[in-house]
Amino acid sequence: MTNTLPRLILASSSKYRKMMLERFGIPFETHSPAIDESAKPGETPVDLAIRLAIEKAQAISLQFPGAIVIGSDQVATLGLAPIGKPGSFVKAQQQLRQLSGQHVQFHSALAVTNGEKLLHANIITHCYFRTLTEAEIEHYLRVEEPFDTAGSAKAEALGITLMDKMTSDDPTAIIGLPLIELAKMLREFGINPTLQASV
């Protein structure tokens, strides 16, 4: 396996996705794509996530020809309704009251392109929130302040205690970057993290 890796770019300003990609131990850059993230008329939350992941990757790919670019987007849904980032304590409190005892799906869309070939996928994580008390909701929000997280729960931290169970083909998908699927895609572009991670 050659030590010369293609230029790899994560099309995101998310600190969470950056930390996830660092697990691979291979060099990469981050660049934030300037795209309109508004939903199109009639577009489902899932279709929106997939389209945005692709558009993010393609937008950065145009700026850096020949680079391998990763785009990702995540939406949470309760039934067919999207669940956004609360942005404040009060809205997070309302959101967790709504999600208490419910089955929420987190759709983690992923796209990888080199400007010529494009791969994309949607990895679903099923989160079953247990029935939460007011005291639990309030204390959790004060401890973790998950106001920049869709669903108001950080499953990689204390938010996992709000769940009855979680199921997914990829346990990393819930954090926003499905690493199993990403490694599979990168191998298609000549990057094998298993063999090329720095020692």
Side-chain angles (χ1 to χ4, degrees):
M1 179 66 68
T2 177
N3 288 326
T4 304
L5 286 166
R7 187 177 191 180
L8 182 65
I9 300 174
L10 176 63
S12 175
S13 59
S14 166
K15 62 182 179 181
Y16 304 111
R17 292 192 177 107
K18 181 176 183 290
M19 286 190 296
M20 293 297 290
L21 188 53
E22 286 171 349
R23 290 194 192 184
F24 282 175
I26 53 179
F28 67 94
E29 307 164 37
T30 59
H31 293 281
S32 183
I35 63 169
D36 180 3
E37 298 195 17
S38 304
K40 294 183 176 179
E43 189 172 40
T44 68
V46 177
D47 288 341
L48 172 64
I50 295 169
R51 177 174 63 81
L52 290 180
I54 292 171
E55 288 185 359
K56 289 175 183 179
Q58 291 176 330
I60 297 300
S61 180
L62 288 174
Q63 297 177 39
F64 301 95
I68 296 170
V69 184
I70 302 162
S72 187
D73 195 79
Q74 186 183 70
V75 297
T77 58
L78 178 59
L80 297 177
I83 301 168
K85 299 175 183 179
S88 71
F89 181 94
V90 171
K91 289 183 179 178
Q93 193 175 36
Q94 293 169 345
Q95 196 169 75
L96 286 180
R97 286 171 182 159
Q98 179 190 19
L99 301 184
S100 175
Q102 299 296 315
H103 168 210
V104 178
Q105 295 186 28
F106 286 80
H107 300 267
S108 301
L110 181 67
V112 179
T113 186
N114 60 0
E116 297 178 1
K117 180 165 68 173
L118 170 70
L119 301 176
H120 65 86
N122 174 38
I123 309 302
I124 303 172
T125 304
H126 300 272
C127 295
Y128 298 83
F129 282 76
R130 61 188 183 80
T131 301
L132 306 172
T133 67
E134 280 295 315
E136 286 175 325
I137 290 172
E138 182 170 335
H139 187 72
Y140 168 70
L141 293 178
R142 294 199 185 285
V143 170
E144 197 141 81
E145 300 183 343
F147 310 137
D148 62 346
T149 303
S152 303
K154 292 184 179 181
E156 69 275 21
L158 184 61
I160 197 69
T161 67
L162 307 183
M163 306 296 166
D164 263 333
K165 66 176 180 176
M166 291 171 55
T167 60
S168 178
D169 290 337
D170 187 338
T172 62
I174 188 67
I175 307 172
L177 194 64
L179 295 183
I180 294 175
E181 185 64 33
L182 178 57
K184 187 186 304 181
M185 290 183 179
L186 290 179
R187 289 192 291 270
E188 294 287 320
F189 288 92
I191 296 177
N192 185 334
T194 309
L195 291 174
Q196 293 170 308
S198 55
V199 179

